[in-house]
Amino acid sequence: MPFRTIWENEGIKWEFHDFVTAQEIWEANKIFFNDHRAKTAKYQLVHTLETTGVEWDPLSIVDVSVNDVAASRTLQRLKMAYITNNEKIRNKIEKYVEVSRNLNTNWHFRGFESEEEARLWLNGT
């Protein structure tokens, strides 16, 4: 798997690397939702600085968005910070954010270029 899952005190961090497929994004999502810690998580931190590319077609983006928006009804106000310096990856994630917002998620999203900036936002500072 081209990602590592790290559970932290108040959320989850995924470190993606190499080339990532839609199936692997779905698998990462399953890890989150199938763990009891998801019920109390305050954030998801998606780190893609080591990712070389992503295969995430529009239908797969919608599938993940629909799943996450449904979850947002019980996991309210979750923050999702994504870290990337790759324009193509940023565009894919921003499409996911756009679809999620159009489906009326109550999650909050923001993109960053460093983990330090992302953590400041996640911690509300």
Side-chain angles (χ1 to χ4, degrees):
M1 288 279 172
F3 66 89
R4 185 170 87 144
T5 302
I6 304 162
W7 280 97
E8 300 178 342
N9 288 337
E10 295 187 332
I12 192 169
K13 175 183 176 183
W14 286 294
E15 294 176 343
F16 288 91
H17 55 87
D18 301 326
F19 190 84
V20 179
T21 67
Q23 181 61 38
E24 291 156 343
I25 293 167
W26 188 258
E27 289 297 320
N29 223 21
K30 255 178 38 180
I31 288 169
F32 179 73
F33 290 116
N34 288 336
D35 193 292
H36 71 279
R37 293 172 281 194
K39 293 179 179 90
T40 58
K42 294 181 180 174
Y43 65 82
Q44 295 178 343
L45 179 59
V46 180
H47 191 289
T48 70
L49 294 178
E50 301 296 322
T51 305
T52 57
V54 64
E55 176 193 314
W56 202 17
D57 63 90
L59 184 57
S60 296
I61 290 171
V62 170
D63 285 346
V64 172
S65 294
V66 167
N67 184 66
D68 289 357
V69 168
S72 77
R73 303 303 181 243
T74 55
L75 295 173
Q76 297 189 10
R77 305 214 181 274
L78 187 85
K79 288 183 171 182
M80 195 271 269
Y82 55 96
I83 306 162
T84 187
N85 58 7
N86 181 307
E87 185 177 348
K88 290 180 181 179
I89 294 170
R90 178 179 288 109
N91 290 341
K92 298 281 185 175
I93 296 171
E94 288 176 356
K95 185 63 178 173
Y96 157 82
V97 170
E98 176 187 342
V99 170
S100 296
R101 286 183 175 147
N102 287 339
L103 293 172
N104 295 317
T105 186
N106 58 29
W107 289 1
H108 303 279
F109 307 94
R110 190 163 297 166
F112 300 92
E113 292 191 8
S114 75
E115 187 168 334
E116 180 181 36
E117 292 172 316
R119 290 210 181 265
L120 287 172
W121 178 71
L122 291 173
N123 294 323
T125 55

